[in-house]
Amino acid sequence: MEQLLTKKDVAKLLNVSLPTIDRYISDKILTPVKGIPTVRFTPSHIEELEGVEPERFSPLERRRLEKELEEWKHRAEEAEKIIARVNMITTETMYLKLKESV
């Protein structure tokens, strides 16, 4: 049987903090060995993860966030159009006021 790794060992290997390891466990990114009283990991499981960026969100959550981001981008574009129109109206008004005073 291969030597099991502690959370501290894995944190050092992945260059992350212990709280990050706990979060990876709760997010099911890391799976500890079952059937033993302490939290341990197999080296082969950790090797599979090395070089892989952990996903923070489920595919459904990611899609929801991407859709929300697109909605915010659309709102920003609309706001920019409104601001451009307000600027144009303001410039026209100032021009007309200036023209009247001359």
Side-chain angles (χ1 to χ4, degrees), residues 75-96:
R75 287 180 180 189
E77 289 170 4
E78 292 301 313
E80 286 174 356
K81 289 177 188 176
I82 292 168
I83 291 169
R85 178 126 170 87
V86 167
N87 283 337
M88 185 181 69
I89 292 169
T90 303
T91 303
E92 287 174 358
T93 304
M94 290 173 63
Y95 174 76
L96 291 173

Side-chain angles (χ1 to χ4, degrees), residues 18-82:
L18 286 174
T20 300
I21 296 297
D22 291 330
R23 193 181 80 236
Y24 286 176
I25 294 168
S26 68
D27 290 347
K28 303 204 185 319
I29 294 169
L30 288 176
T31 307
V33 174
K34 294 180 182 174
I36 59 174
T38 59
V39 177
R40 297 286 187 266
F41 305 91
T42 60
S44 57
H45 176 61
I46 303 308
E47 287 170 10
E48 290 173 16
L49 296 174
E50 283 186 297
V52 174
E53 191 64 35
E55 291 293 326
R56 195 167 190 170
F57 304 106
S58 71
L60 290 175
E61 181 69 3
R62 179 171 294 285
R63 258 185 265 139
R64 185 191 69 75
L65 290 170
E66 287 171 351
K67 186 176 179 181
E68 186 177 328
L69 177 61
E70 288 304 314
E71 176 63 28
W72 282 109
K73 285 180 181 178
H74 177 71
R75 287 180 180 189
E77 289 170 4
E78 292 301 313
E80 286 174 356
K81 289 177 188 176
I82 292 168

